[in-house]
């Protein structure tokens, strides 16, 4: 099965082409440019370099959240556009599920964290034992301090990955909560991981059409929160 996968849920962007679990090509950039500028050219480059016709893709996948609201929307919209009218299955992968696959050669707690602003992170906890990854919590938005209270109870090494890893590491280790910061290459999303998770989900019947594919948000956007605050009876915002 030929899978085209992409991720644009944080600052970096990643596109991969995977055949039956084997990596054919992966293109990742971390330039800070908007994903509306970079994502489609990256897809086109991967297809061109591998001499692959878009009509030959069997499965389309993207990390559909959590993450940057704009990035999540761009990723989902790009996949919907690429798959439109092709009658091919699509898979919406949790960004945190994908990030957790960055850590493979150790045992302990894998802790993906994405910057959710306001001293919060998007997070889920996973346990890794001899290459087997087990989810311990659902995807959630959680205060870094609250996450620290959970991690301090763990009796295993805690590995941080994701664009919120550095800020989480600094905040928790300063307070005596020991965590392990992954190296730079492992901090960022990998569309290859997205494809691997998507293949597993597809085999379990967890796929949708291009029309049904939708982003996943764990909390209202900043604009929605600001509007709610303005409409609150206790609001002092004018």
């Amino acid at each position: 099965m030929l899978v085209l996968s992409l991720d644009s849920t944080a600052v970096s962007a990643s596109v991969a082409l995977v055949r039956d679990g084997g990596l054919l090509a992966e293109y990742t950039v971390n330039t800070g440019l908007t994903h509306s500028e970079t994502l489609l050219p990256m897809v086109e480059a991967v297809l061109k370099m591998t001499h692959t016709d878009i009509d030959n893709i069997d499965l389309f996948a993207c990390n559909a959240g959590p993450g940057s609201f704009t990035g999540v929307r761009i990723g989902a919209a790009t996949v919907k556009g690429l798959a439109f009218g092709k009658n091919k299955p699509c898979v919406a992968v949790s960004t945190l599920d994908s990030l957790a696959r960055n850590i493979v050669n150790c045992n302990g707690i894998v802790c993906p964290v994405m910057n959710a602003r306001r001293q919060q992170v998007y997070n889920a906890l996973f346990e890794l034992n001899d290459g087997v990854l087990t989810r311990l919590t659902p995807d959630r938005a959680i205060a870094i301090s609250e996450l620290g209270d959970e991690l301090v109870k763990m009796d295993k090494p805690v590995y941080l990955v994701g664009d919120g890893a550095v800020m989480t590491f600094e905040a928790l280790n300063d307070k005596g909560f020991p965590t392990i910061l992954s190296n730079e290459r492992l901090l960022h999303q990998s569309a290859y991981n997205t494809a691997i998770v998507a293949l597993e989900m597809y085999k379990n019947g967890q796929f949708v059409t291009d029309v049904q594919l939708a982003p996943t948000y764990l909390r209202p956007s900043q604009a929605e929160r600001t509007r709610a605050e303005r409409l609150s009876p206790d609001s002092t915002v004018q």
Side-chain angles (χ1 to χ4, degrees), residues 84-186:
F84 180 74
K86 293 181 174 58
N87 196 30
K88 299 292 180 70
C90 299
V91 177
V93 175
S94 161
T95 311
L96 300 170
D97 226 336
S98 178
L99 274 169
R101 309 302 171 102
N102 285 10
I103 306 295
V104 293
N105 294 320
C106 61
N107 290 333
I109 304 299
V110 182
C111 181
V113 280
M114 302 183 70
N115 190 354
R117 315 300 176 189
R118 297 189 173 190
Q119 290 300 302
Q120 287 190 327
V121 288
Y122 298 121
N123 164 261
L125 296 179
F126 301 80
E127 185 170 5
L128 183 61
N129 282 315
D130 298 327
V132 177
L133 198 65
T134 303
R135 179 183 277 269
L136 302 179
T137 71
D139 290 358
R140 66 229 177 133
I142 186 172
I144 295 176
S145 58
E146 185 179 348
L147 176 61
D149 291 339
E150 287 188 15
L151 296 181
V152 76
K153 300 173 185 176
M154 301 291 181
D155 59 355
K156 298 181 179 181
V158 176
Y159 299 89
L160 298 173
V161 295
D163 73 331
V166 173
M167 59 180 276
T168 302
F169 175 81
E170 292 174 349
L172 297 186
N173 282 40
D174 283 349
K175 294 183 179 180
F177 300 158
T179 56
I180 300 168
L181 182 63
S182 301
N183 68 48
E184 175 70 16
R185 180 62 184 90
L186 298 180

Side-chain angles (χ1 to χ4, degrees), residues 197-217:
V197 177
L199 277 168
E200 294 175 1
M201 293 175 66
Y202 174 78
K203 291 174 183 178
N204 290 328
Q206 297 173 275
F207 57 89
V208 296
T209 66
D210 58 289
V211 175
Q212 295 169 325
L213 185 73
T216 300
Y217 305 119

Side-chain angles (χ1 to χ4, degrees), residues 19 22 28 40 64 68 77 83 94 124-125 140 150 185 188 205 227 229:
R19 186 187 300 278
T28 299
L40 271 178
S68 156
S94 161
L125 296 179
R140 66 229 177 133
E150 287 188 15
R185 180 62 184 90
H188 304 286
R227 181 174 184 274
E229 289 170 0

